[in-house]
Protein backbone atom coordinates (compact mmCIF):
# COMPACT_ATOMS: atom_id res chain seq x y z
CA UNK A 1 0.00 0.00 0.00
CA UNK A 2 1.27 3.43 -0.93
CA UNK A 3 1.66 5.78 2.03
CA UNK A 4 0.16 9.25 1.79
CA UNK A 5 2.43 11.92 3.21
CA UNK A 6 1.17 15.50 3.42
CA UNK A 7 2.12 18.47 5.51
CA UNK A 8 -0.23 19.75 8.16
CA UNK A 9 -1.07 22.69 5.91
CA UNK A 10 -1.89 20.36 3.00
CA UNK A 11 -4.25 18.38 5.26
CA UNK A 12 -5.95 21.62 6.39
CA UNK A 13 -6.54 22.53 2.75
CA UNK A 14 -7.74 19.05 1.72
CA UNK A 15 -10.16 18.38 4.60
CA UNK A 16 -13.17 20.19 6.02
CA UNK A 17 -12.58 21.78 9.44
CA UNK A 18 -14.54 18.93 11.11
CA UNK A 19 -12.61 16.25 9.20
CA UNK A 20 -9.33 17.91 10.15
CA UNK A 21 -10.36 18.07 13.83
CA UNK A 22 -11.30 14.38 13.87
CA UNK A 23 -8.83 12.82 11.44
CA UNK A 24 -5.69 14.85 12.14
CA UNK A 25 -6.25 15.96 15.75
CA UNK A 26 -7.89 12.78 17.10
CA UNK A 27 -11.28 14.33 17.84
CA UNK A 28 -14.66 12.66 17.65
CA UNK A 29 -18.01 13.67 16.22
CA UNK A 30 -21.10 13.86 18.41
CA UNK A 31 -22.91 10.51 18.76
CA UNK A 32 -25.91 9.96 16.46
CA UNK A 33 -24.88 12.96 14.33
CA UNK A 34 -22.79 11.40 11.57
CA UNK A 35 -23.85 10.91 7.96
CA UNK A 36 -23.28 7.14 7.98
CA UNK A 37 -24.62 6.25 11.41
CA UNK A 38 -27.95 4.93 10.09
CA UNK A 39 -27.06 4.09 6.46
CA UNK A 40 -27.77 0.59 5.13
CA UNK A 41 -26.51 0.95 1.55
CA UNK A 42 -24.13 -1.57 0.00
CA UNK A 43 -20.61 -0.51 -0.83
CA UNK A 44 -17.13 0.10 0.49
CA UNK A 45 -16.36 2.69 3.16
CA UNK A 46 -13.12 4.44 2.27
CA UNK A 47 -10.88 6.83 4.18
CA UNK A 48 -12.24 10.33 3.53
CA UNK A 49 -8.69 11.70 3.53
CA UNK A 50 -6.97 9.36 1.07
CA UNK A 51 -9.51 6.90 -0.42
CA UNK A 52 -8.00 3.79 1.18
CA UNK A 53 -10.70 1.04 1.36
CA UNK A 54 -11.43 0.42 5.04
CA UNK A 55 -14.75 -1.37 5.66
CA UNK A 56 -17.29 -3.33 3.60
CA UNK A 57 -20.97 -2.60 4.21
CA UNK A 58 -21.45 -6.36 4.77
CA UNK A 59 -19.63 -5.97 8.11
CA UNK A 60 -21.63 -2.92 9.25
CA UNK A 61 -24.08 -3.41 12.11
CA UNK A 62 -26.30 -1.33 14.39
CA UNK A 63 -24.47 -1.12 17.68
CA UNK A 64 -26.57 1.62 19.28
CA UNK A 65 -23.34 3.45 20.14
CA UNK A 66 -24.07 6.53 18.01
CA UNK A 67 -21.35 5.92 15.43
CA UNK A 68 -21.12 3.66 12.37
CA UNK A 69 -19.94 0.26 13.59
CA UNK A 70 -18.27 -2.62 11.76
CA UNK A 71 -17.14 -6.05 12.93
CA UNK A 72 -14.03 -6.18 10.69
CA UNK A 73 -11.99 -4.07 8.29
CA UNK A 74 -11.82 -4.94 4.57
CA UNK A 75 -8.31 -6.25 5.22
CA UNK A 76 -6.19 -6.11 8.37
CA UNK A 77 -3.52 -4.21 6.44
CA UNK A 78 -5.84 -1.26 5.74
CA UNK A 79 -5.93 -0.09 9.36
CA UNK A 80 -3.39 0.38 12.14
CA UNK A 81 -3.86 0.19 15.88
CA UNK A 82 -2.48 2.34 18.69
CA UNK A 83 -2.96 2.27 22.44
CA UNK A 84 -5.06 5.23 23.56
CA UNK A 85 -5.01 6.22 27.24
CA UNK A 86 -6.88 9.53 26.91
CA UNK A 87 -9.98 10.44 28.92
CA UNK A 88 -8.90 8.13 31.74
CA UNK A 89 -9.68 5.02 29.67
CA UNK A 90 -7.69 2.29 27.98
CA UNK A 91 -8.84 1.97 24.38
CA UNK A 92 -7.45 0.88 21.04
CA UNK A 93 -7.37 3.64 18.46
CA UNK A 94 -7.93 2.75 14.78
CA UNK A 95 -6.04 4.71 12.11
CA UNK A 96 -5.87 4.52 8.33
CA UNK A 97 -2.76 2.56 7.40
CA UNK A 98 -2.19 4.67 4.27
CA UNK A 99 -2.39 8.22 5.64
CA UNK A 100 -2.42 7.82 9.44
CA UNK A 101 -5.83 9.49 9.85
CA UNK A 102 -7.64 8.89 13.14
CA UNK A 103 -10.80 6.89 12.35
CA UNK A 104 -12.16 5.88 15.75
CA UNK A 105 -11.67 2.99 18.19
CA UNK A 106 -12.16 -0.77 18.30
CA UNK A 107 -13.75 -2.61 21.22
CA UNK A 108 -14.17 -6.31 22.07
CA UNK A 109 -17.96 -6.18 22.45
CA UNK A 110 -19.09 -6.69 18.86
CA UNK A 111 -21.04 -9.48 17.18
CA UNK A 112 -19.73 -12.79 15.80
CA UNK A 113 -17.66 -13.80 14.00
CA UNK A 114 -14.98 -11.39 15.31
CA UNK A 115 -16.72 -10.06 18.44
CA UNK A 116 -15.18 -6.68 17.65
CA UNK A 117 -16.86 -3.30 17.25
CA UNK A 118 -15.02 -0.81 15.11
CA UNK A 119 -16.64 2.44 16.22
CA UNK A 120 -15.77 4.88 13.40
CA UNK A 121 -16.46 8.58 12.88
CA UNK A 122 -18.63 9.26 9.82
CA UNK A 123 -16.52 12.28 8.83
CA UNK A 124 -13.57 9.90 8.42
CA UNK A 125 -15.49 7.79 5.88
CA UNK A 126 -16.60 8.09 2.28
CA UNK A 127 -19.04 5.44 1.00
CA UNK A 128 -18.50 4.16 -2.53
CA UNK A 129 -21.90 2.64 -3.31
CA UNK A 130 -22.44 -0.55 -5.31
CA UNK A 131 -24.37 -0.37 -8.58
CA UNK A 132 -27.26 -2.72 -9.46
CA UNK A 133 -24.80 -5.44 -10.52
CA UNK A 134 -23.05 -5.29 -7.15
CA UNK A 135 -19.98 -3.44 -8.44
CA UNK A 136 -18.42 -0.53 -6.55
Amino acid sequence: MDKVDKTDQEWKEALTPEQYRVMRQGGTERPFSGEYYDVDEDGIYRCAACGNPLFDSETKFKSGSGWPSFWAPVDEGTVEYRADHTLGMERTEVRCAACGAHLGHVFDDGPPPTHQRYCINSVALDLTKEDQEGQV
Side-chain angles (χ1 to χ4, degrees):
M1 161 184 335
D2 292 332
K3 295 285 186 176
V4 177
D5 188 27
K6 293 184 179 185
T7 66
D8 190 54
Q9 185 60 38
E10 289 172 320
W11 284 121
K12 282 182 180 177
E13 292 169 7
L15 302 172
T16 68
E18 179 70 355
Q19 286 175 321
Y20 181 81
R21 185 183 71 77
V22 170
M23 300 176 80
R24 305 315 304 174
Q25 297 180 317
T28 191
E29 63 193 4
R30 289 184 340 273
F32 305 101
S33 69
E35 175 182 1
Y36 298 119
Y37 167 69
D38 200 24
V39 168
D40 291 323
E41 297 183 57
D42 293 336
I44 299 294
Y45 289 87
R46 297 176 180 276
C47 176
C50 72
N52 182 30
L54 300 170
F55 300 97
D56 190 304
S57 61
E58 292 182 13
T59 67
K60 191 171 188 281
F61 68 99
K62 294 182 189 267
S63 69
S65 66
W67 292 273
S69 298
F70 305 86
W71 50 262
V74 168
D75 182 289
E76 274 301 319
T78 65
V79 296
E80 294 177 341
Y81 306 94
R82 293 188 185 168
D84 179 356
H85 303 288
T86 60
L87 305 175
M89 296 183 269
E90 264 192 55
R91 301 180 291 175
T92 302
E93 178 186 16
V94 180
R95 289 185 169 258
C96 174
C99 71
H102 170 77
L103 304 171
H105 293 87
V106 63
F107 304 93
D108 292 326
D109 60 0
T114 65
H115 301 284
Q116 295 193 313
R117 174 175 52 96
Y118 288 79
C119 191
I120 307 298
N121 291 285
S122 285
V123 296
L125 300 172
D126 185 24
L127 175 61
T128 304
K129 298 176 188 172
E130 288 183 357
D131 62 21
Q132 292 179 343
E133 285 80 43
Q135 303 294 315
V136 277

